[in-house]
């Protein structure tokens, strides 16, 4: 079961009535260790409400190594060594703004209005992409639809469809994984570009470090 109250304003998305019961049943019937743990699966939405969201960073699915994923895209628990994709994000962050966070826990980004949303919110341990076709994409589509109502910054790393209309900032580049980062992720300067855009909108920049 899911505590809809913890979802706040996200709780009225049709997904939770129409799709979540089927997905929850599929997860319950999967005998493998499913990541992240159940209390963290909707952490991205719980921590960053629609009206507070200023920036969206889309990931793919949670880290498949037990103990790593904390429910926020690209983020890990504070004591976890940085996975390779996050190492590359931190490398670009240092090159872009000259500083990085003290750990791989990016929850302080969420607290400033950065929605760190994976397009699949679960994966079996040691099986990256194992739940990519479970139906999570409907939640992603509904979240983006809700956020398209006013200008926001969308940071799209990898092969994400841009089915969003409006006066938004779109920053698109290859995924920060070791397989793709050298194809245009490095040097894309997404963090300073987002902050410049937020400043132009009259908003406070994100303290990325």
């Amino acid at each position: 079961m899911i505590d809809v109250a913890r979802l706040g304003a996200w709780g009225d998305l049709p997904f939770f009535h129409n799709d979540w019961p089927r997905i929850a049943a599929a997860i319950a019937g999967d005998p493998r260790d499913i990541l992240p743990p159940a209390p963290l699966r909707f952490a991205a939405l719980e921590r960053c409400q629609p009206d507070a969201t200023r920036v969206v960073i889309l990931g793919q699915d949670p880290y498949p190594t037990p103990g790593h994923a904390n429910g926020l895209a690209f983020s890990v628990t504070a004591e976890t060594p940085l996975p390779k994709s996050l190492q590359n994000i931190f490398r670009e962050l240092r090159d872009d703004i000259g500083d990085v966070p003290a750990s791989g826990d990016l929850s302080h980004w969420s607290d400033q209005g950065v929605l760190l949303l994976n397009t699949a919110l679960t994966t079996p341990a040691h099986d990256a992409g194992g739940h990519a076709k479970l139906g999570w994409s409907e939640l992603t589509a509904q979240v983006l639809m809700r956020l398209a109502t006013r200008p926001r910054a969308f940071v799209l790393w990898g092969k994400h469809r841009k089915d969003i209309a409006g006066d938004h900032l779109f920053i698109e580049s290859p995924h920060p994984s070791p397989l793709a980062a050298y194809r245009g992720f490095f040097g894309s300067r997404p963090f300073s570009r987002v902050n410049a855009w937020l400043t132009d909108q009259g908003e406070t920049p994100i303290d990325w470090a």
Side-chain angles (χ1 to χ4, degrees), residues 9-198:
W10 295 114
D12 65 359
L13 291 177
F15 169 87
F16 292 105
H17 177 75
N18 298 334
D19 303 278
W20 171 240
R22 175 185 53 78
I23 294 174
I27 292 172
D30 192 327
R32 296 172 291 180
D33 182 17
I34 307 302
L35 304 176
L40 298 177
R41 286 173 190 161
F42 294 97
L45 299 180
E46 293 170 6
R47 193 144 191 161
C48 195
Q49 289 292 298
D51 287 346
T53 299
R54 304 188 291 148
V55 182
V56 180
I57 297 179
L58 282 182
Q60 294 175 339
D61 60 347
Y63 294 115
T65 302
H68 283 197
N70 66 359
L72 309 177
F74 298 105
S75 180
V76 293
T77 51
E79 65 279 2
T80 301
L82 301 184
K84 294 186 183 302
S85 290
L86 192 51
Q87 289 180 33
N88 288 339
I89 290 171
F90 274 32
R91 172 179 163 179
E92 178 62 19
L93 185 58
R94 186 179 296 279
D95 289 346
D96 191 5
I97 69 167
D99 202 0
V100 296
S103 79
D105 183 355
L106 306 179
S107 56
H108 61 290
W109 291 7
S110 295
D111 295 340
Q112 298 175 76
V114 181
L115 178 62
L116 295 164
L117 184 67
N118 280 315
T119 53
L121 297 192
T122 57
T123 196
H126 311 296
D127 184 15
H131 281 176
K133 297 181 180 180
L134 208 57
W136 287 113
S137 58
E138 186 59 33
L139 175 60
T140 306
Q142 291 178 23
V143 167
L144 296 181
M145 182 79 68
R146 172 71 59 86
L147 295 177
T149 55
R150 65 176 174 83
R152 289 179 168 92
F154 292 88
V155 180
L156 309 176
W157 291 332
K159 297 179 180 178
H160 294 296
R161 294 178 59 191
K162 191 175 69 176
D163 295 334
I164 313 165
D167 190 20
H168 309 291
L169 171 68
F170 295 102
I171 297 178
E172 300 176 80
S173 76
H175 193 274
S177 75
L179 297 176
Y182 287 94
R183 300 174 186 168
F185 173 76
F186 290 133
S188 60
R189 306 183 69 84
F191 309 101
S192 61
R193 290 164 65 189
V194 165
N195 278 352
W197 183 83
L198 289 172

